[in-house]
Each structure stands twice: as C-alpha cells, then as structure tokens.
PDB file of all heavy atoms in Angstrom:
ATOM      1  N   TYR F   1       7.866  10.431 -15.663  1.00  0.00           N
ATOM      2  CA  TYR F   1       9.036   9.672 -16.084  1.00  0.00           C
ATOM      3  C   TYR F   1      10.323  10.552 -16.067  1.00  0.00           C
ATOM      4  O   TYR F   1      10.353  11.764 -16.339  1.00  0.00           O
ATOM      5  CB  TYR F   1       8.941   9.176 -17.528  1.00  0.00           C
ATOM      6  CG  TYR F   1       7.719   8.186 -17.678  1.00  0.00           C
ATOM      7  CD1 TYR F   1       6.482   8.689 -17.987  1.00  0.00           C
ATOM      8  CD2 TYR F   1       7.893   6.876 -17.405  1.00  0.00           C
ATOM      9  CE1 TYR F   1       5.428   7.832 -18.108  1.00  0.00           C
ATOM     10  CE2 TYR F   1       6.889   5.966 -17.564  1.00  0.00           C
ATOM     11  CZ  TYR F   1       5.549   6.450 -17.881  1.00  0.00           C
ATOM     12  OH  TYR F   1       4.521   5.612 -18.051  1.00  0.00           O
ATOM     13  N   ALA F   2      11.418   9.945 -15.719  1.00  0.00           N
ATOM     14  CA  ALA F   2      12.724  10.541 -15.867  1.00  0.00           C
ATOM     15  C   ALA F   2      12.949  10.811 -17.391  1.00  0.00           C
ATOM     16  O   ALA F   2      12.515  10.008 -18.238  1.00  0.00           O
ATOM     17  CB  ALA F   2      13.804   9.680 -15.301  1.00  0.00           C
ATOM     18  N   ASP F   3      13.666  11.847 -17.661  1.00  0.00           N
ATOM     19  CA  ASP F   3      13.922  12.194 -19.156  1.00  0.00           C
ATOM     20  C   ASP F   3      14.614  11.050 -19.812  1.00  0.00           C
ATOM     21  O   ASP F   3      14.398  10.828 -21.054  1.00  0.00           O
ATOM     22  CB  ASP F   3      14.726  13.463 -19.236  1.00  0.00           C
ATOM     23  CG  ASP F   3      13.949  14.700 -18.839  1.00  0.00           C
ATOM     24  OD1 ASP F   3      12.691  14.600 -18.866  1.00  0.00           O
ATOM     25  OD2 ASP F   3      14.547  15.726 -18.600  1.00  0.00           O
ATOM     26  N   SER F   4      15.480  10.300 -19.085  1.00  0.00           N
ATOM     27  CA  SER F   4      16.273   9.270 -19.717  1.00  0.00           C
ATOM     28  C   SER F   4      15.474   8.079 -20.176  1.00  0.00           C
ATOM     29  O   SER F   4      16.014   7.264 -20.979  1.00  0.00           O
ATOM     30  CB  SER F   4      17.362   8.812 -18.717  1.00  0.00           C
ATOM     31  OG  SER F   4      16.774   8.343 -17.538  1.00  0.00           O
ATOM     32  N   VAL F   5      14.249   7.966 -19.677  1.00  0.00           N
ATOM     33  CA  VAL F   5      13.462   6.787 -20.032  1.00  0.00           C
ATOM     34  C   VAL F   5      12.137   7.159 -20.769  1.00  0.00           C
ATOM     35  O   VAL F   5      11.438   6.276 -21.188  1.00  0.00           O
ATOM     36  CB  VAL F   5      13.168   5.848 -18.814  1.00  0.00           C
ATOM     37  CG1 VAL F   5      14.419   5.497 -18.033  1.00  0.00           C
ATOM     38  CG2 VAL F   5      12.157   6.580 -17.878  1.00  0.00           C
ATOM     39  N   LYS F   6      11.859   8.362 -20.826  1.00  0.00           N
ATOM     40  CA  LYS F   6      10.658   8.916 -21.418  1.00  0.00           C
ATOM     41  C   LYS F   6      10.509   8.372 -22.871  1.00  0.00           C
ATOM     42  O   LYS F   6      11.492   8.446 -23.669  1.00  0.00           O
ATOM     43  CB  LYS F   6      10.589  10.379 -21.396  1.00  0.00           C
ATOM     44  CG  LYS F   6       9.220  11.049 -21.491  1.00  0.00           C
ATOM     45  CD  LYS F   6       9.317  12.496 -21.219  1.00  0.00           C
ATOM     46  CE  LYS F   6       9.728  12.801 -19.762  1.00  0.00           C
ATOM     47  NZ  LYS F   6       9.710  14.314 -19.512  1.00  0.00           N
ATOM     48  N   GLY F   7       9.376   7.831 -23.211  1.00  0.00           N
ATOM     49  CA  GLY F   7       9.151   7.309 -24.540  1.00  0.00           C
ATOM     50  C   GLY F   7       9.567   5.810 -24.694  1.00  0.00           C
ATOM     51  O   GLY F   7       9.234   5.250 -25.662  1.00  0.00           O
ATOM     52  N   ARG F   8      10.312   5.310 -23.729  1.00  0.00           N
ATOM     53  CA  ARG F   8      10.779   3.901 -23.800  1.00  0.00           C
ATOM     54  C   ARG F   8      10.110   3.090 -22.726  1.00  0.00           C
ATOM     55  O   ARG F   8       9.902   1.905 -22.880  1.00  0.00           O
ATOM     56  CB  ARG F   8      12.295   3.854 -23.671  1.00  0.00           C
ATOM     57  CG  ARG F   8      13.030   4.575 -24.744  1.00  0.00           C
ATOM     58  CD  ARG F   8      14.564   4.316 -24.656  1.00  0.00           C
ATOM     59  NE  ARG F   8      15.144   4.781 -23.399  1.00  0.00           N
ATOM     60  CZ  ARG F   8      15.824   3.968 -22.548  1.00  0.00           C
ATOM     61  NH1 ARG F   8      15.998   2.667 -22.827  1.00  0.00           N
ATOM     62  NH2 ARG F   8      16.348   4.478 -21.450  1.00  0.00           N
ATOM     63  N   PHE F   9       9.962   3.665 -21.517  1.00  0.00           N
ATOM     64  CA  PHE F   9       9.348   2.900 -20.387  1.00  0.00           C
ATOM     65  C   PHE F   9       7.901   3.375 -20.121  1.00  0.00           C
ATOM     66  O   PHE F   9       7.603   4.537 -20.404  1.00  0.00           O
ATOM     67  CB  PHE F   9      10.161   3.209 -19.118  1.00  0.00           C
ATOM     68  CG  PHE F   9      11.566   2.596 -19.106  1.00  0.00           C
ATOM     69  CD1 PHE F   9      12.182   2.039 -20.292  1.00  0.00           C
ATOM     70  CD2 PHE F   9      12.309   2.612 -17.953  1.00  0.00           C
ATOM     71  CE1 PHE F   9      13.424   1.546 -20.216  1.00  0.00           C
ATOM     72  CE2 PHE F   9      13.568   2.081 -17.900  1.00  0.00           C
ATOM     73  CZ  PHE F   9      14.121   1.538 -19.044  1.00  0.00           C
ATOM     74  N   THR F  10       7.130   2.411 -19.631  1.00  0.00           N
ATOM     75  CA  THR F  10       5.725   2.755 -19.264  1.00  0.00           C
ATOM     76  C   THR F  10       5.407   2.106 -17.888  1.00  0.00           C
ATOM     77  O   THR F  10       5.629   0.926 -17.703  1.00  0.00           O
ATOM     78  CB  THR F  10       4.789   2.202 -20.265  1.00  0.00           C
ATOM     79  OG1 THR F  10       5.084   2.737 -21.608  1.00  0.00           O
ATOM     80  CG2 THR F  10       3.299   2.548 -19.928  1.00  0.00           C
ATOM     81  N   ILE F  11       4.989   2.980 -17.006  1.00  0.00           N
ATOM     82  CA  ILE F  11       4.559   2.480 -15.665  1.00  0.00           C
ATOM     83  C   ILE F  11       3.066   2.362 -15.680  1.00  0.00           C
ATOM     84  O   ILE F  11       2.288   3.185 -16.258  1.00  0.00           O
ATOM     85  CB  ILE F  11       5.022   3.407 -14.572  1.00  0.00           C
ATOM     86  CG1 ILE F  11       4.765   2.820 -13.176  1.00  0.00           C
ATOM     87  CG2 ILE F  11       4.443   4.792 -14.714  1.00  0.00           C
ATOM     88  CD1 ILE F  11       5.374   3.528 -12.012  1.00  0.00           C
ATOM     89  N   SER F  12       2.533   1.311 -15.021  1.00  0.00           N
ATOM     90  CA  SER F  12       1.116   1.070 -14.900  1.00  0.00           C
ATOM     91  C   SER F  12       0.825   0.315 -13.653  1.00  0.00           C
ATOM     92  O   SER F  12       1.753  -0.206 -13.007  1.00  0.00           O
ATOM     93  CB  SER F  12       0.583   0.270 -16.145  1.00  0.00           C
ATOM     94  OG  SER F  12       1.141  -0.984 -16.238  1.00  0.00           O
ATOM     95  N   ARG F  13      -0.456   0.279 -13.301  1.00  0.00           N
ATOM     96  CA  ARG F  13      -0.812  -0.489 -12.037  1.00  0.00           C
ATOM     97  C   ARG F  13      -2.171  -1.057 -12.181  1.00  0.00           C
ATOM     98  O   ARG F  13      -2.969  -0.634 -12.988  1.00  0.00           O
ATOM     99  CB  ARG F  13      -0.729   0.431 -10.814  1.00  0.00           C
ATOM    100  CG  ARG F  13      -1.797   1.580 -10.823  1.00  0.00           C
ATOM    101  CD  ARG F  13      -1.580   2.546  -9.710  1.00  0.00           C
ATOM    102  NE  ARG F  13      -1.762   1.902  -8.367  1.00  0.00           N
ATOM    103  CZ  ARG F  13      -1.214   2.457  -7.221  1.00  0.00           C
ATOM    104  NH1 ARG F  13      -0.487   3.565  -7.277  1.00  0.00           N
ATOM    105  NH2 ARG F  13      -1.413   1.809  -6.114  1.00  0.00           N
ATOM    106  N   ASP F  14      -2.294  -2.235 -11.474  1.00  0.00           N
ATOM    107  CA  ASP F  14      -3.650  -2.900 -11.394  1.00  0.00           C
ATOM    108  C   ASP F  14      -3.979  -3.029  -9.941  1.00  0.00           C
ATOM    109  O   ASP F  14      -3.444  -3.882  -9.205  1.00  0.00           O
ATOM    110  CB  ASP F  14      -3.508  -4.294 -12.027  1.00  0.00           C
ATOM    111  CG  ASP F  14      -4.821  -4.967 -12.146  1.00  0.00           C
ATOM    112  OD1 ASP F  14      -5.763  -4.625 -11.375  1.00  0.00           O
ATOM    113  OD2 ASP F  14      -4.946  -5.910 -12.964  1.00  0.00           O
ATOM    114  N   ASN F  15      -4.814  -2.131  -9.416  1.00  0.00           N
ATOM    115  CA  ASN F  15      -5.088  -2.106  -8.023  1.00  0.00           C
ATOM    116  C   ASN F  15      -5.867  -3.370  -7.540  1.00  0.00           C
ATOM    117  O   ASN F  15      -5.781  -3.728  -6.395  1.00  0.00           O
ATOM    118  CB  ASN F  15      -5.891  -0.840  -7.659  1.00  0.00           C
ATOM    119  CG  ASN F  15      -5.030   0.380  -7.671  1.00  0.00           C
ATOM    120  OD1 ASN F  15      -3.820   0.358  -7.668  1.00  0.00           O
ATOM    121  ND2 ASN F  15      -5.658   1.564  -7.758  1.00  0.00           N
ATOM    122  N   ALA F  16      -6.609  -3.979  -8.513  1.00  0.00           N
ATOM    123  CA  ALA F  16      -7.295  -5.172  -8.141  1.00  0.00           C
ATOM    124  C   ALA F  16      -6.323  -6.347  -7.882  1.00  0.00           C
ATOM    125  O   ALA F  16      -6.602  -7.245  -7.112  1.00  0.00           O
ATOM    126  CB  ALA F  16      -8.238  -5.579  -9.250  1.00  0.00           C
ATOM    127  N   LYS F  17      -5.095  -6.264  -8.499  1.00  0.00           N
ATOM    128  CA  LYS F  17      -4.123  -7.305  -8.315  1.00  0.00           C
ATOM    129  C   LYS F  17      -2.932  -6.824  -7.381  1.00  0.00           C
ATOM    130  O   LYS F  17      -2.018  -7.606  -7.188  1.00  0.00           O
ATOM    131  CB  LYS F  17      -3.516  -7.736  -9.670  1.00  0.00           C
ATOM    132  CG  LYS F  17      -4.542  -8.367 -10.612  1.00  0.00           C
ATOM    133  CD  LYS F  17      -3.832  -8.831 -11.885  1.00  0.00           C
ATOM    134  CE  LYS F  17      -4.875  -9.546 -12.796  1.00  0.00           C
ATOM    135  NZ  LYS F  17      -4.222  -9.992 -14.070  1.00  0.00           N
ATOM    136  N   ASN F  18      -3.088  -5.662  -6.858  1.00  0.00           N
ATOM    137  CA  ASN F  18      -2.092  -5.075  -5.953  1.00  0.00           C
ATOM    138  C   ASN F  18      -0.638  -5.099  -6.633  1.00  0.00           C
ATOM    139  O   ASN F  18       0.313  -5.510  -5.953  1.00  0.00           O
ATOM    140  CB  ASN F  18      -2.021  -5.837  -4.627  1.00  0.00           C
ATOM    141  CG  ASN F  18      -3.178  -5.475  -3.717  1.00  0.00           C
ATOM    142  OD1 ASN F  18      -4.047  -4.671  -4.086  1.00  0.00           O
ATOM    143  ND2 ASN F  18      -3.221  -6.110  -2.628  1.00  0.00           N
ATOM    144  N   THR F  19      -0.594  -4.765  -7.911  1.00  0.00           N
ATOM    145  CA  THR F  19       0.610  -4.868  -8.662  1.00  0.00           C
ATOM    146  C   THR F  19       0.824  -3.668  -9.488  1.00  0.00           C
ATOM    147  O   THR F  19      -0.033  -3.042 -10.057  1.00  0.00           O
ATOM    148  CB  THR F  19       0.591  -6.164  -9.526  1.00  0.00           C
ATOM    149  OG1 THR F  19       0.345  -7.287  -8.747  1.00  0.00           O
ATOM    150  CG2 THR F  19       1.872  -6.312 -10.251  1.00  0.00           C
ATOM    151  N   VAL F  20       2.150  -3.271  -9.537  1.00  0.00           N
ATOM    152  CA  VAL F  20       2.566  -2.167 -10.409  1.00  0.00           C
ATOM    153  C   VAL F  20       3.574  -2.750 -11.360  1.00  0.00           C
ATOM    154  O   VAL F  20       4.353  -3.692 -10.981  1.00  0.00           O
ATOM    155  CB  VAL F  20       3.169  -0.964  -9.592  1.00  0.00           C
ATOM    156  CG1 VAL F  20       4.410  -1.389  -8.832  1.00  0.00           C
ATOM    157  CG2 VAL F  20       3.419   0.218 -10.502  1.00  0.00           C
ATOM    158  N   TYR F  21       3.617  -2.259 -12.557  1.00  0.00           N
ATOM    159  CA  TYR F  21       4.463  -2.762 -13.661  1.00  0.00           C
ATOM    160  C   TYR F  21       5.346  -1.649 -14.185  1.00  0.00           C
ATOM    161  O   TYR F  21       5.015  -0.448 -14.108  1.00  0.00           O
ATOM    162  CB  TYR F  21       3.581  -3.315 -14.783  1.00  0.00           C
ATOM    163  CG  TYR F  21       2.544  -4.354 -14.314  1.00  0.00           C
ATOM    164  CD1 TYR F  21       1.236  -3.979 -14.084  1.00  0.00           C
ATOM    165  CD2 TYR F  21       2.920  -5.659 -14.181  1.00  0.00           C
ATOM    166  CE1 TYR F  21       0.321  -4.943 -13.646  1.00  0.00           C
ATOM    167  CE2 TYR F  21       2.033  -6.621 -13.782  1.00  0.00           C
ATOM    168  CZ  TYR F  21       0.693  -6.234 -13.514  1.00  0.00           C
ATOM    169  OH  TYR F  21      -0.210  -7.147 -13.091  1.00  0.00           O
ATOM    170  N   LEU F  22       6.424  -2.138 -14.795  1.00  0.00           N
ATOM    171  CA  LEU F  22       7.310  -1.210 -15.535  1.00  0.00           C
ATOM    172  C   LEU F  22       7.682  -1.965 -16.805  1.00  0.00           C
ATOM    173  O   LEU F  22       8.483  -2.883 -16.814  1.00  0.00           O
ATOM    174  CB  LEU F  22       8.548  -0.805 -14.761  1.00  0.00           C
ATOM    175  CG  LEU F  22       9.424   0.219 -15.485  1.00  0.00           C
ATOM    176  CD1 LEU F  22       8.725   1.558 -15.487  1.00  0.00           C
ATOM    177  CD2 LEU F  22      10.780   0.376 -14.717  1.00  0.00           C
ATOM    178  N   GLN F  23       7.080  -1.519 -17.980  1.00  0.00           N
ATOM    179  CA  GLN F  23       7.335  -2.006 -19.201  1.00  0.00           C
ATOM    180  C   GLN F  23       8.566  -1.269 -19.800  1.00  0.00           C
ATOM    181  O   GLN F  23       8.483  -0.006 -19.910  1.00  0.00           O
ATOM    182  CB  GLN F  23       6.180  -1.939 -20.213  1.00  0.00           C
ATOM    183  CG  GLN F  23       6.452  -2.373 -21.563  1.00  0.00           C
ATOM    184  CD  GLN F  23       6.657  -3.917 -21.612  1.00  0.00           C
ATOM    185  OE1 GLN F  23       6.035  -4.689 -21.001  1.00  0.00           O
ATOM    186  NE2 GLN F  23       7.628  -4.320 -22.437  1.00  0.00           N
ATOM    187  N   MET F  24       9.684  -1.946 -20.066  1.00  0.00           N
ATOM    188  CA  MET F  24      10.804  -1.317 -20.559  1.00  0.00           C
ATOM    189  C   MET F  24      11.138  -1.772 -21.993  1.00  0.00           C
ATOM    190  O   MET F  24      11.395  -2.973 -22.212  1.00  0.00           O
ATOM    191  CB  MET F  24      12.005  -1.670 -19.613  1.00  0.00           C
ATOM    192  CG  MET F  24      11.751  -1.291 -18.156  1.00  0.00           C
ATOM    193  SD  MET F  24      13.213  -1.550 -17.144  1.00  0.00           S
ATOM    194  CE  MET F  24      13.370  -3.313 -17.223  1.00  0.00           C
ATOM    195  N   ASN F  25      11.125  -0.878 -22.876  1.00  0.00           N
ATOM    196  CA  ASN F  25      11.403  -1.158 -24.320  1.00  0.00           C
ATOM    197  C   ASN F  25      12.626  -0.442 -24.791  1.00  0.00           C
ATOM    198  O   ASN F  25      13.121   0.501 -24.109  1.00  0.00           O
ATOM    199  CB  ASN F  25      10.213  -0.735 -25.176  1.00  0.00           C
ATOM    200  CG  ASN F  25       8.920  -1.487 -24.833  1.00  0.00           C
ATOM    201  OD1 ASN F  25       8.954  -2.655 -24.407  1.00  0.00           O
ATOM    202  ND2 ASN F  25       7.747  -0.817 -25.012  1.00  0.00           N
ATOM    203  N   SER F  26      13.176  -0.837 -25.875  1.00  0.00           N
ATOM    204  CA  SER F  26      14.396  -0.216 -26.499  1.00  0.00           C
ATOM    205  C   SER F  26      15.477  -0.007 -25.396  1.00  0.00           C
ATOM    206  O   SER F  26      16.055   1.089 -25.281  1.00  0.00           O
ATOM    207  CB  SER F  26      14.021   1.117 -27.114  1.00  0.00           C
ATOM    208  OG  SER F  26      12.995   0.993 -28.040  1.00  0.00           O
ATOM    209  N   LEU F  27      15.752  -1.068 -24.732  1.00  0.00           N
ATOM    210  CA  LEU F  27      16.724  -0.976 -23.586  1.00  0.00           C
ATOM    211  C   LEU F  27      18.124  -0.739 -24.051  1.00  0.00           C
ATOM    212  O   LEU F  27      18.483  -1.150 -25.169  1.00  0.00           O
ATOM    213  CB  LEU F  27      16.687  -2.281 -22.797  1.00  0.00           C
ATOM    214  CG  LEU F  27      15.496  -2.381 -21.811  1.00  0.00           C
ATOM    215  CD1 LEU F  27      15.239  -3.878 -21.457  1.00  0.00           C
ATOM    216  CD2 LEU F  27      15.677  -1.531 -20.582  1.00  0.00           C
ATOM    217  N   LYS F  28      18.781   0.040 -23.318  1.00  0.00           N
ATOM    218  CA  LYS F  28      20.185   0.400 -23.551  1.00  0.00           C
ATOM    219  C   LYS F  28      21.140  -0.110 -22.517  1.00  0.00           C
ATOM    220  O   LYS F  28      20.706  -0.279 -21.367  1.00  0.00           O
ATOM    221  CB  LYS F  28      20.253   1.935 -23.671  1.00  0.00           C
ATOM    222  CG  LYS F  28      19.305   2.668 -24.568  1.00  0.00           C
ATOM    223  CD  LYS F  28      19.453   4.122 -24.479  1.00  0.00           C
ATOM    224  CE  LYS F  28      18.435   4.812 -25.436  1.00  0.00           C
ATOM    225  NZ  LYS F  28      18.505   6.278 -25.298  1.00  0.00           N
ATOM    226  N   PRO F  29      22.404  -0.215 -22.821  1.00  0.00           N
ATOM    227  CA  PRO F  29      23.305  -0.668 -21.740  1.00  0.00           C
ATOM    228  C   PRO F  29      23.342   0.233 -20.525  1.00  0.00           C
ATOM    229  O   PRO F  29      23.523  -0.292 -19.406  1.00  0.00           O
ATOM    230  CB  PRO F  29      24.728  -0.614 -22.461  1.00  0.00           C
ATOM    231  CG  PRO F  29      24.330  -0.957 -23.920  1.00  0.00           C
ATOM    232  CD  PRO F  29      23.028  -0.267 -24.120  1.00  0.00           C
ATOM    233  N   GLU F  30      23.089   1.546 -20.702  1.00  0.00           N
ATOM    234  CA  GLU F  30      23.087   2.463 -19.579  1.00  0.00           C
ATOM    235  C   GLU F  30      21.839   2.222 -18.674  1.00  0.00           C
ATOM    236  O   GLU F  30      21.704   2.875 -17.656  1.00  0.00           O
ATOM    237  CB  GLU F  30      23.124   3.904 -20.014  1.00  0.00           C
ATOM    238  CG  GLU F  30      22.215   4.301 -21.139  1.00  0.00           C
ATOM    239  CD  GLU F  30      22.800   4.193 -22.514  1.00  0.00           C
ATOM    240  OE1 GLU F  30      23.533   3.255 -22.830  1.00  0.00           O
ATOM    241  OE2 GLU F  30      22.571   5.093 -23.352  1.00  0.00           O
ATOM    242  N   ASP F  31      20.918   1.454 -19.091  1.00  0.00           N
ATOM    243  CA  ASP F  31      19.730   1.060 -18.252  1.00  0.00           C
ATOM    244  C   ASP F  31      20.111  -0.060 -17.298  1.00  0.00           C
ATOM    245  O   ASP F  31      19.256  -0.358 -16.298  1.00  0.00           O
ATOM    246  CB  ASP F  31      18.557   0.604 -19.079  1.00  0.00           C
ATOM    247  CG  ASP F  31      17.984   1.675 -19.966  1.00  0.00           C
ATOM    248  OD1 ASP F  31      17.894   2.840 -19.484  1.00  0.00           O
ATOM    249  OD2 ASP F  31      17.641   1.372 -21.126  1.00  0.00           O
ATOM    250  N   THR F  32      21.242  -0.569 -17.373  1.00  0.00           N
ATOM    251  CA  THR F  32      21.754  -1.622 -16.393  1.00  0.00           C
ATOM    252  C   THR F  32      21.776  -1.118 -14.986  1.00  0.00           C
ATOM    253  O   THR F  32      22.446  -0.085 -14.712  1.00  0.00           O
ATOM    254  CB  THR F  32      23.108  -2.130 -16.833  1.00  0.00           C
ATOM    255  OG1 THR F  32      22.971  -2.749 -18.141  1.00  0.00           O
ATOM    256  CG2 THR F  32      23.618  -3.170 -15.897  1.00  0.00           C
ATOM    257  N   ALA F  33      21.085  -1.769 -14.096  1.00  0.00           N
ATOM    258  CA  ALA F  33      21.007  -1.365 -12.748  1.00  0.00           C
ATOM    259  C   ALA F  33      20.208  -2.378 -11.937  1.00  0.00           C
ATOM    260  O   ALA F  33      19.484  -3.238 -12.501  1.00  0.00           O
ATOM    261  CB  ALA F  33      20.385   0.047 -12.579  1.00  0.00           C
ATOM    262  N   VAL F  34      20.168  -2.150 -10.632  1.00  0.00           N
ATOM    263  CA  VAL F  34      19.117  -2.876  -9.804  1.00  0.00           C
ATOM    264  C   VAL F  34      17.959  -1.955  -9.699  1.00  0.00           C
ATOM    265  O   VAL F  34      18.086  -0.712  -9.421  1.00  0.00           O
ATOM    266  CB  VAL F  34      19.650  -3.103  -8.364  1.00  0.00           C
ATOM    267  CG1 VAL F  34      18.593  -3.807  -7.505  1.00  0.00           C
ATOM    268  CG2 VAL F  34      20.933  -3.990  -8.448  1.00  0.00           C
ATOM    269  N   TYR F  35      16.784  -2.483 -10.033  1.00  0.00           N
ATOM    270  CA  TYR F  35      15.548  -1.736 -10.049  1.00  0.00           C
ATOM    271  C   TYR F  35      14.757  -2.037  -8.826  1.00  0.00           C
ATOM    272  O   TYR F  35      14.567  -3.223  -8.466  1.00  0.00           O
ATOM    273  CB  TYR F  35      14.740  -2.087 -11.342  1.00  0.00           C
ATOM    274  CG  TYR F  35      15.244  -1.433 -12.583  1.00  0.00           C
ATOM    275  CD1 TYR F  35      16.479  -1.804 -13.107  1.00  0.00           C
ATOM    276  CD2 TYR F  35      14.638  -0.341 -13.144  1.00  0.00           C
ATOM    277  CE1 TYR F  35      17.049  -1.154 -14.222  1.00  0.00           C
ATOM    278  CE2 TYR F  35      15.172   0.318 -14.277  1.00  0.00           C
ATOM    279  CZ  TYR F  35      16.328  -0.105 -14.859  1.00  0.00           C
ATOM    280  OH  TYR F  35      16.803   0.487 -15.952  1.00  0.00           O
ATOM    281  N   TYR F  36      14.232  -0.977  -8.228  1.00  0.00           N
ATOM    282  CA  TYR F  36      13.461  -1.130  -6.965  1.00  0.00           C
ATOM    283  C   TYR F  36      12.104  -0.433  -7.160  1.00  0.00           C
ATOM    284  O   TYR F  36      11.945   0.567  -7.793  1.00  0.00           O
ATOM    285  CB  TYR F  36      14.130  -0.375  -5.850  1.00  0.00           C
ATOM    286  CG  TYR F  36      15.575  -0.872  -5.466  1.00  0.00           C
ATOM    287  CD1 TYR F  36      16.652  -0.289  -6.100  1.00  0.00           C
ATOM    288  CD2 TYR F  36      15.680  -1.847  -4.454  1.00  0.00           C
ATOM    289  CE1 TYR F  36      17.960  -0.712  -5.846  1.00  0.00           C
ATOM    290  CE2 TYR F  36      16.989  -2.237  -4.161  1.00  0.00           C
ATOM    291  CZ  TYR F  36      18.096  -1.681  -4.790  1.00  0.00           C
ATOM    292  OH  TYR F  36      19.379  -2.137  -4.472  1.00  0.00           O
ATOM    293  N   CYS F  37      11.072  -1.079  -6.609  1.00  0.00           N
ATOM    294  CA  CYS F  37       9.806  -0.399  -6.507  1.00  0.00           C
ATOM    295  C   CYS F  37       9.630   0.130  -5.089  1.00  0.00           C
ATOM    296  O   CYS F  37      10.178  -0.495  -4.123  1.00  0.00           O
ATOM    297  CB  CYS F  37       8.628  -1.285  -6.932  1.00  0.00           C
ATOM    298  SG  CYS F  37       8.169  -2.591  -5.798  1.00  0.00           S
ATOM    299  N   ALA F  38       8.829   1.182  -4.948  1.00  0.00           N
ATOM    300  CA  ALA F  38       8.614   1.817  -3.667  1.00  0.00           C
ATOM    301  C   ALA F  38       7.178   2.310  -3.594  1.00  0.00           C
ATOM    302  O   ALA F  38       6.563   2.564  -4.592  1.00  0.00           O
ATOM    303  CB  ALA F  38       9.584   2.947  -3.492  1.00  0.00           C
ATOM    304  N   ALA F  39       6.724   2.469  -2.336  1.00  0.00           N
ATOM    305  CA  ALA F  39       5.436   2.919  -2.083  1.00  0.00           C
ATOM    306  C   ALA F  39       5.312   3.973  -1.017  1.00  0.00           C
ATOM    307  O   ALA F  39       6.152   3.955  -0.076  1.00  0.00           O
ATOM    308  CB  ALA F  39       4.560   1.723  -1.604  1.00  0.00           C
ATOM    309  N   VAL F  40       4.426   4.939  -1.222  1.00  0.00           N
ATOM    310  CA  VAL F  40       4.189   5.968  -0.217  1.00  0.00           C
ATOM    311  C   VAL F  40       2.761   6.317  -0.229  1.00  0.00           C
ATOM    312  O   VAL F  40       2.104   6.469  -1.340  1.00  0.00           O
ATOM    313  CB  VAL F  40       5.070   7.205  -0.498  1.00  0.00           C
ATOM    314  CG1 VAL F  40       4.815   7.765  -1.917  1.00  0.00           C
ATOM    315  CG2 VAL F  40       4.869   8.281   0.517  1.00  0.00           C
ATOM    316  N   GLN F  41       2.143   6.456   0.965  1.00  0.00           N
ATOM    317  CA  GLN F  41       0.766   6.812   1.024  1.00  0.00           C
ATOM    318  C   GLN F  41       0.545   8.263   0.759  1.00  0.00           C
ATOM    319  O   GLN F  41       1.360   9.141   1.266  1.00  0.00           O
ATOM    320  CB  GLN F  41       0.205   6.453   2.445  1.00  0.00           C
ATOM    321  CG  GLN F  41      -1.344   6.457   2.464  1.00  0.00           C
ATOM    322  CD  GLN F  41      -1.802   5.860   3.801  1.00  0.00           C
ATOM    323  OE1 GLN F  41      -1.115   5.787   4.758  1.00  0.00           O
ATOM    324  NE2 GLN F  41      -3.015   5.327   3.729  1.00  0.00           N
ATOM    325  N   THR F  42      -0.363   8.643  -0.109  1.00  0.00           N
ATOM    326  CA  THR F  42      -0.692  10.020  -0.446  1.00  0.00           C
ATOM    327  C   THR F  42      -2.082  10.376  -0.217  1.00  0.00           C
ATOM    328  O   THR F  42      -2.966   9.535  -0.221  1.00  0.00           O
ATOM    329  CB  THR F  42      -0.283  10.328  -1.921  1.00  0.00           C
ATOM    330  OG1 THR F  42      -1.073   9.448  -2.781  1.00  0.00           O
ATOM    331  CG2 THR F  42       1.190  10.114  -2.164  1.00  0.00           C
ATOM    332  N   THR F  43      -2.304  11.651   0.038  1.00  0.00           N
ATOM    333  CA  THR F  43      -3.679  12.174   0.299  1.00  0.00           C
ATOM    334  C   THR F  43      -4.559  12.173  -1.008  1.00  0.00           C
ATOM    335  O   THR F  43      -5.740  11.884  -0.966  1.00  0.00           O
ATOM    336  CB  THR F  43      -3.607  13.494   0.944  1.00  0.00           C
ATOM    337  OG1 THR F  43      -2.859  13.407   2.169  1.00  0.00           O
ATOM    338  CG2 THR F  43      -5.026  14.014   1.305  1.00  0.00           C
TER     339      THR F  43
END
C-alpha cells in the first residue's frame, strides 16, 4: 500500500470471480480522484 492509504484501504482478489477489490474506509477529501485498476503478468 501507499503510505497515504495504509490502514484505511484494503486490496483483495477473488480469482474464481476474476475480480479485484479495493475497500476504502475513513475516506478523506484528498482521496478524491479517478481510480484505475491495472494488470500485469508476473512470473
């Protein structure tokens, strides 16, 4: 996690559903943005 979101955001994934999640709690005005997900194949 980025330091700015550590302890507030949680990333998780369900490979059976081909879905990744971002749970965002204790949101702040500085969290305002367009959020993108991205994928990269790794070994």
Side-chain angles (χ1 to χ4, degrees):
Y1 298 91
D3 288 343
S4 58
V5 307
K6 202 171 294 183
R8 300 188 297 123
F9 291 11
T10 302
I11 188 171
S12 61
R13 67 189 294 161
D14 185 339
N15 287 343
K17 295 183 178 179
N18 287 359
T19 303
V20 64
Y21 306 96
L22 186 67
Q23 178 67 43
M24 305 186 295
N25 299 329
S26 302
L27 282 162
K28 305 175 182 180
E30 50 264 42
D31 293 319
T32 295
V34 178
Y35 283 70
Y36 300 89
C37 70
V40 58
Q41 195 167 22
T42 58
T43 301

